Amino acid sequence: MPTAFRARKVLFVRERTDRKDLMTTLGAVFRPQLPPERLRDVAQAADKAGLEQLWLWEDCFLESGIASAAAALAWTERLHIGVGLLPVPLRNVALTAMEAATLHRLFPDRVLLGIGHGVQSWMAQVGAQAESPMTLLREHLTALRALLRSERVTTDGRYVKLDDVALDWPPATAPAVFSGAVGPRSLRLSGEAADGTILVAGTPPEKVRRARELIDEGRAAGGRTDHHEVVAYLHAATGPDGAARLAAELERWGDASISDIGAAGNADAVAEAVLRLANAGADTVILQPTADEPDPEGFVRFVAEKVRPLVP
């Protein structure tokens, strides 16, 4: 490890001494731009390499988050599988709870599920756009977490309506429910009503720090004192053409003018970017490859074998 990077790593640990745990969880994304049949090889490569988490997306109109997660969990032994996120306008909350409970019972302690507003233009395409996405997300979070706590739920909300509903096969222990959030209102809602927050790639360290503050405001408003996990995605590209691919990716996302939201190059460069997000308040950093990543299996091995040893 280069001396300069080692010094920055030590400084990072010192700056985080007020945190309850110094361990930063590391993971990667399986992009749904890859066909579903590629998932098995990528998941098994991640599992064999010792990667902690592999995250999937339920983007319209690409791949199912739940079906993909079930397959990836069945193909692997220890890898944690996350879905970030399930768009609630597409889903009845009872179905979400049933699917979540089934996965958690089949694969205890290996499932991470997040829900969110969804992309509003996509929701409009399928006739599911809500007039008040915030109200829908709050109602869905409240009912989903109650069902997963083995509660019997009756509610007559604006969007979520349940009449004496309880799961016959709830998880043995109530799992964390994550919420995707971007704006201040969504971040406060996530702190109040969810167990963790997912931040999109393109969130620089200063905005991660501000997101933490807004989440904590929501937690205080809701009287929450439990742990709240913050998951941050980070654009990443490796290899001789990594910088060019990353630049093109940021251009596609409309983020080319934002600094410090991606990393290209070797493991040291990527690890430094991870540490900046972690120092800003991210508990988990998920490396997001470019949509045209030429070697997805190699990418997850790179994260597990090269970057992981450089991150506390």
Side-chain angles (χ1 to χ4, degrees), residues 13-22 279:
V13 173
R14 286 175 180 167
E15 288 175 344
R16 290 189 83 199
T17 53
D18 60 334
R19 298 284 296 279
K20 291 183 179 179
D21 61 277
L22 299 179
N279 196 38

Coordinates of all heavy atoms in Angstrom, one line a residue, residues 13-22 279:
V13 N -9.7 6.7 9.7 CA -10.1 6.0 10.9 C -10.2 6.9 12.1 O -11.1 6.9 12.9 CB -9.1 4.8 11.2 CG1 -9.4 4.2 12.5 CG2 -9.2 3.8 10.1
R14 N -9.2 7.8 12.2 CA -9.2 8.8 13.3 C -10.5 9.7 13.3 O -11.1 10.0 14.3 CB -8.0 9.7 13.3 CG -6.7 8.9 13.7 CD -5.5 9.8 13.5 NE -4.3 9.1 14.0 CZ -3.1 9.5 13.7 NH1 -2.9 10.6 13.0 NH2 -2.0 8.8 14.1
E15 N -10.8 10.1 12.1 CA -12.0 11.0 11.9 C -13.3 10.3 12.2 O -14.3 10.9 12.6 CB -12.1 11.5 10.5 CG -11.0 12.6 10.2 CD -11.0 13.0 8.7 OE1 -11.6 12.3 7.9 OE2 -10.3 14.0 8.4
R16 N -13.3 9.0 12.2 CA -14.5 8.2 12.4 C -14.6 7.6 13.8 O -15.5 6.8 14.1 CB -14.7 7.1 11.4 CG -14.9 7.5 10.0 CD -15.2 6.3 9.1 NE -16.6 6.0 9.2 CZ -17.1 4.8 8.8 NH1 -16.3 3.8 8.4 NH2 -18.4 4.5 8.9
T17 N -13.8 8.0 14.7 CA -13.8 7.4 16.0 C -15.0 7.7 16.8 O -15.3 7.0 17.8 CB -12.6 7.9 16.9 OG1 -12.6 9.4 16.9 CG2 -11.3 7.4 16.3
D18 N -15.8 8.6 16.4 CA -17.1 8.9 17.1 C -18.2 8.0 16.6 O -19.3 8.0 17.1 CB -17.5 10.3 16.9 CG -17.7 10.7 15.5 OD1 -17.1 10.1 14.6 OD2 -18.5 11.7 15.2
R19 N -18.0 7.2 15.5 CA -19.0 6.3 15.0 C -18.9 5.0 15.8 O -17.9 4.5 16.3 CB -18.7 5.9 13.6 CG -18.7 7.1 12.6 CD -20.2 7.5 12.4 NE -20.9 6.5 11.7 CZ -20.8 6.3 10.3 NH1 -20.1 7.1 9.6 NH2 -21.5 5.3 9.8
K20 N -20.1 4.3 16.0 CA -20.1 3.1 16.8 C -19.3 2.0 16.2 O -18.8 1.1 16.9 CB -21.6 2.7 17.0 CG -22.4 3.6 17.9 CD -23.8 3.1 18.1 CE -24.6 4.1 19.0 NZ -26.0 3.6 19.2
D21 N -19.3 1.9 14.9 CA -18.4 0.9 14.3 C -17.7 1.5 13.1 O -18.2 2.4 12.4 CB -19.3 -0.3 13.8 CG -20.3 0.2 12.7 OD1 -21.4 0.6 13.1 OD2 -20.0 0.0 11.5
L22 N -16.4 1.1 12.9 CA -15.6 1.7 11.9 C -15.7 0.8 10.6 O -15.1 1.2 9.6 CB -14.2 1.7 12.4 CG -13.9 2.6 13.6 CD1 -12.5 2.6 14.0 CD2 -14.4 4.0 13.4
N279 N -16.5 8.4 5.2 CA -16.2 9.4 6.2 C -17.3 10.5 6.3 O -17.5 11.1 7.3 CB -14.9 10.1 5.9 CG -14.3 10.9 7.0 OD1 -14.4 10.5 8.2 ND2 -13.8 12.1 6.7

